[in-house]
mmCIF file of all heavy atoms in Angstrom:
data_model
loop_
_atom_site.group_PDB
_atom_site.id
_atom_site.type_symbol
_atom_site.label_atom_id
_atom_site.label_comp_id
_atom_site.label_asym_id
_atom_site.label_seq_id
_atom_site.Cartn_x
_atom_site.Cartn_y
_atom_site.Cartn_z
ATOM 1 N N ASN A 1 1.839 -5.490 12.858
ATOM 2 C CA ASN A 1 0.604 -6.138 12.412
ATOM 3 C C ASN A 1 0.761 -6.845 11.068
ATOM 4 O O ASN A 1 -0.130 -7.586 10.649
ATOM 5 C CB ASN A 1 -0.519 -5.097 12.311
ATOM 6 C CG ASN A 1 -0.909 -4.538 13.667
ATOM 7 O OD1 ASN A 1 -1.106 -5.283 14.617
ATOM 8 N ND2 ASN A 1 -0.993 -3.221 13.765
ATOM 9 N N VAL A 2 1.874 -6.606 10.396
ATOM 10 C CA VAL A 2 2.143 -7.266 9.117
ATOM 11 C C VAL A 2 2.936 -8.536 9.401
ATOM 12 O O VAL A 2 4.022 -8.475 9.989
ATOM 13 C CB VAL A 2 2.942 -6.344 8.168
ATOM 14 C CG1 VAL A 2 3.253 -7.065 6.855
ATOM 15 C CG2 VAL A 2 2.166 -5.059 7.908
ATOM 16 N N PRO A 3 2.421 -9.709 9.018
ATOM 17 C CA PRO A 3 3.103 -10.963 9.364
ATOM 18 C C PRO A 3 4.458 -11.097 8.676
ATOM 19 O O PRO A 3 4.678 -10.567 7.582
ATOM 20 C CB PRO A 3 2.130 -12.040 8.880
ATOM 21 C CG PRO A 3 1.328 -11.370 7.810
ATOM 22 C CD PRO A 3 1.196 -9.933 8.242
ATOM 23 N N ASP A 4 5.361 -11.820 9.330
ATOM 24 C CA ASP A 4 6.688 -12.076 8.758
ATOM 25 C C ASP A 4 6.624 -13.025 7.568
ATOM 26 O O ASP A 4 7.440 -12.939 6.635
ATOM 27 C CB ASP A 4 7.623 -12.672 9.816
ATOM 28 C CG ASP A 4 7.971 -11.691 10.912
ATOM 29 O OD1 ASP A 4 7.714 -10.479 10.724
ATOM 30 O OD2 ASP A 4 8.491 -12.121 11.951
ATOM 31 N N THR A 5 5.670 -13.949 7.617
ATOM 32 C CA THR A 5 5.517 -14.934 6.542
ATOM 33 C C THR A 5 4.034 -15.160 6.283
ATOM 34 O O THR A 5 3.182 -14.804 7.095
ATOM 35 C CB THR A 5 6.158 -16.282 6.921
ATOM 36 O OG1 THR A 5 5.531 -16.779 8.125
ATOM 37 C CG2 THR A 5 7.657 -16.130 7.167
ATOM 38 N N GLY A 6 3.737 -15.796 5.165
ATOM 39 C CA GLY A 6 2.363 -16.174 4.857
ATOM 40 C C GLY A 6 1.583 -15.082 4.149
ATOM 41 O O GLY A 6 1.940 -13.902 4.168
ATOM 42 N N GLY A 7 0.491 -15.503 3.523
ATOM 43 C CA GLY A 7 -0.331 -14.580 2.764
ATOM 44 C C GLY A 7 -1.148 -13.652 3.633
ATOM 45 O O GLY A 7 -1.625 -14.039 4.700
ATOM 46 N N ALA A 8 -1.314 -12.429 3.180
ATOM 47 C CA ALA A 8 -2.152 -11.441 3.860
ATOM 48 C C ALA A 8 -2.540 -10.381 2.845
ATOM 49 O O ALA A 8 -1.815 -10.130 1.874
ATOM 50 C CB ALA A 8 -1.433 -10.810 5.040
ATOM 51 N N LEU A 9 -3.689 -9.767 3.072
ATOM 52 C CA LEU A 9 -4.196 -8.738 2.178
ATOM 53 C C LEU A 9 -4.028 -7.376 2.862
ATOM 54 O O LEU A 9 -4.593 -7.135 3.928
ATOM 55 C CB LEU A 9 -5.673 -9.007 1.876
ATOM 56 C CG LEU A 9 -6.256 -8.481 0.569
ATOM 57 C CD1 LEU A 9 -5.558 -9.110 -0.622
ATOM 58 C CD2 LEU A 9 -7.752 -8.760 0.504
ATOM 59 N N ILE A 10 -3.226 -6.507 2.251
ATOM 60 C CA ILE A 10 -3.040 -5.150 2.746
ATOM 61 C C ILE A 10 -4.067 -4.275 2.039
ATOM 62 O O ILE A 10 -4.048 -4.161 0.809
ATOM 63 C CB ILE A 10 -1.612 -4.636 2.446
ATOM 64 C CG1 ILE A 10 -0.560 -5.609 2.989
ATOM 65 C CG2 ILE A 10 -1.414 -3.233 2.994
ATOM 66 C CD1 ILE A 10 -0.508 -5.703 4.483
ATOM 67 N N VAL A 11 -4.979 -3.656 2.795
ATOM 68 C CA VAL A 11 -6.078 -2.882 2.211
ATOM 69 C C VAL A 11 -5.920 -1.422 2.626
ATOM 70 O O VAL A 11 -5.928 -1.108 3.816
ATOM 71 C CB VAL A 11 -7.446 -3.415 2.681
ATOM 72 C CG1 VAL A 11 -8.570 -2.705 1.932
ATOM 73 C CG2 VAL A 11 -7.542 -4.926 2.508
ATOM 74 N N GLY A 12 -5.774 -0.523 1.638
ATOM 75 C CA GLY A 12 -5.517 0.865 1.976
ATOM 76 C C GLY A 12 -6.407 1.860 1.274
ATOM 77 O O GLY A 12 -7.039 1.554 0.252
ATOM 78 N N ASN A 13 -6.463 3.073 1.827
ATOM 79 C CA ASN A 13 -7.094 4.186 1.115
ATOM 80 C C ASN A 13 -6.201 4.568 -0.056
ATOM 81 O O ASN A 13 -5.006 4.264 -0.072
ATOM 82 C CB ASN A 13 -7.340 5.372 2.046
ATOM 83 C CG ASN A 13 -6.079 5.899 2.712
ATOM 84 O OD1 ASN A 13 -5.401 5.189 3.454
ATOM 85 N ND2 ASN A 13 -5.754 7.164 2.474
ATOM 86 N N HIS A 14 -6.802 5.234 -1.037
ATOM 87 C CA HIS A 14 -6.082 5.455 -2.295
ATOM 88 C C HIS A 14 -6.208 6.909 -2.719
ATOM 89 O O HIS A 14 -7.319 7.464 -2.750
ATOM 90 C CB HIS A 14 -6.676 4.547 -3.370
ATOM 91 C CG HIS A 14 -5.711 4.129 -4.427
ATOM 92 N ND1 HIS A 14 -4.347 4.166 -4.278
ATOM 93 C CD2 HIS A 14 -5.936 3.630 -5.688
ATOM 94 C CE1 HIS A 14 -3.771 3.707 -5.382
ATOM 95 N NE2 HIS A 14 -4.707 3.389 -6.248
ATOM 96 N N ALA A 15 -5.082 7.526 -3.033
ATOM 97 C CA ALA A 15 -5.070 8.903 -3.520
ATOM 98 C C ALA A 15 -3.772 9.121 -4.268
ATOM 99 O O ALA A 15 -2.950 8.218 -4.396
ATOM 100 C CB ALA A 15 -5.213 9.888 -2.361
ATOM 101 N N GLY A 16 -3.570 10.332 -4.752
ATOM 102 C CA GLY A 16 -2.327 10.619 -5.453
ATOM 103 C C GLY A 16 -2.478 11.634 -6.559
ATOM 104 O O GLY A 16 -1.531 12.311 -6.924
ATOM 105 N N GLY A 17 -3.674 11.755 -7.124
ATOM 106 C CA GLY A 17 -3.886 12.752 -8.154
ATOM 107 C C GLY A 17 -3.313 12.362 -9.494
ATOM 108 O O GLY A 17 -4.038 11.936 -10.394
ATOM 109 N N LEU A 18 -2.013 12.477 -9.662
ATOM 110 C CA LEU A 18 -1.386 12.213 -10.956
ATOM 111 C C LEU A 18 -1.002 10.756 -11.138
ATOM 112 O O LEU A 18 -0.925 10.275 -12.265
ATOM 113 C CB LEU A 18 -0.150 13.099 -11.136
ATOM 114 C CG LEU A 18 -0.405 14.607 -11.150
ATOM 115 C CD1 LEU A 18 0.883 15.369 -11.414
ATOM 116 C CD2 LEU A 18 -1.448 14.972 -12.193
ATOM 117 N N TRP A 19 -0.728 10.051 -10.044
ATOM 118 C CA TRP A 19 -0.384 8.633 -10.145
ATOM 119 C C TRP A 19 -0.517 8.007 -8.768
ATOM 120 O O TRP A 19 -0.646 8.693 -7.757
ATOM 121 C CB TRP A 19 1.009 8.429 -10.723
ATOM 122 C CG TRP A 19 2.142 9.096 -9.985
ATOM 123 C CD1 TRP A 19 2.346 10.436 -9.822
ATOM 124 C CD2 TRP A 19 3.239 8.456 -9.336
ATOM 125 N NE1 TRP A 19 3.496 10.676 -9.111
ATOM 126 C CE2 TRP A 19 4.074 9.482 -8.808
ATOM 127 C CE3 TRP A 19 3.617 7.132 -9.157
ATOM 128 C CZ2 TRP A 19 5.244 9.215 -8.088
ATOM 129 C CZ3 TRP A 19 4.789 6.863 -8.457
ATOM 130 C CH2 TRP A 19 5.585 7.887 -7.936
ATOM 131 N N ALA A 20 -0.503 6.687 -8.718
ATOM 132 C CA ALA A 20 -0.731 5.959 -7.465
ATOM 133 C C ALA A 20 0.522 5.950 -6.603
ATOM 134 O O ALA A 20 1.098 4.900 -6.291
ATOM 135 C CB ALA A 20 -1.191 4.531 -7.765
ATOM 136 N N ILE A 21 0.927 7.114 -6.171
ATOM 137 C CA ILE A 21 2.158 7.257 -5.409
ATOM 138 C C ILE A 21 2.065 6.590 -4.046
ATOM 139 O O ILE A 21 3.066 6.151 -3.473
ATOM 140 C CB ILE A 21 2.510 8.759 -5.272
ATOM 141 C CG1 ILE A 21 3.931 8.939 -4.764
ATOM 142 C CG2 ILE A 21 1.481 9.494 -4.425
ATOM 143 C CD1 ILE A 21 4.406 10.384 -4.826
ATOM 144 N N ASP A 22 0.832 6.490 -3.496
ATOM 145 C CA ASP A 22 0.687 5.876 -2.179
ATOM 146 C C ASP A 22 1.025 4.393 -2.199
ATOM 147 O O ASP A 22 1.613 3.869 -1.246
ATOM 148 C CB ASP A 22 -0.723 6.098 -1.613
ATOM 149 C CG ASP A 22 -1.831 5.776 -2.604
ATOM 150 O OD1 ASP A 22 -1.542 5.234 -3.695
ATOM 151 O OD2 ASP A 22 -2.995 6.071 -2.288
ATOM 152 N N ALA A 23 0.693 3.699 -3.292
ATOM 153 C CA ALA A 23 1.032 2.279 -3.394
ATOM 154 C C ALA A 23 2.545 2.085 -3.364
ATOM 155 O O ALA A 23 3.055 1.129 -2.767
ATOM 156 C CB ALA A 23 0.437 1.691 -4.666
ATOM 157 N N VAL A 24 3.268 3.002 -4.003
ATOM 158 C CA VAL A 24 4.731 2.926 -4.010
ATOM 159 C C VAL A 24 5.282 3.149 -2.606
ATOM 160 O O VAL A 24 6.192 2.436 -2.146
ATOM 161 C CB VAL A 24 5.322 3.965 -4.990
ATOM 162 C CG1 VAL A 24 6.849 3.950 -4.935
ATOM 163 C CG2 VAL A 24 4.833 3.695 -6.408
ATOM 164 N N MET A 25 4.747 4.127 -1.888
ATOM 165 C CA MET A 25 5.243 4.429 -0.546
ATOM 166 C C MET A 25 4.947 3.281 0.429
ATOM 167 O O MET A 25 5.777 2.963 1.296
ATOM 168 C CB MET A 25 4.630 5.729 -0.024
ATOM 169 C CG MET A 25 5.029 6.974 -0.812
ATOM 170 S SD MET A 25 6.821 7.298 -0.827
ATOM 171 C CE MET A 25 7.219 6.939 -2.552
ATOM 172 N N VAL A 26 3.791 2.645 0.301
ATOM 173 C CA VAL A 26 3.482 1.504 1.167
ATOM 174 C C VAL A 26 4.394 0.330 0.843
ATOM 175 O O VAL A 26 4.866 -0.379 1.741
ATOM 176 C CB VAL A 26 1.994 1.102 1.030
ATOM 177 C CG1 VAL A 26 1.710 -0.189 1.803
ATOM 178 C CG2 VAL A 26 1.090 2.209 1.555
#
């Protein structure tokens, strides 16, 4: 579902407690 090229907005839930670890994993 993620395009190979071109702009797109990835919108996710957010958690992590001490830091935004989920953004790093994505």
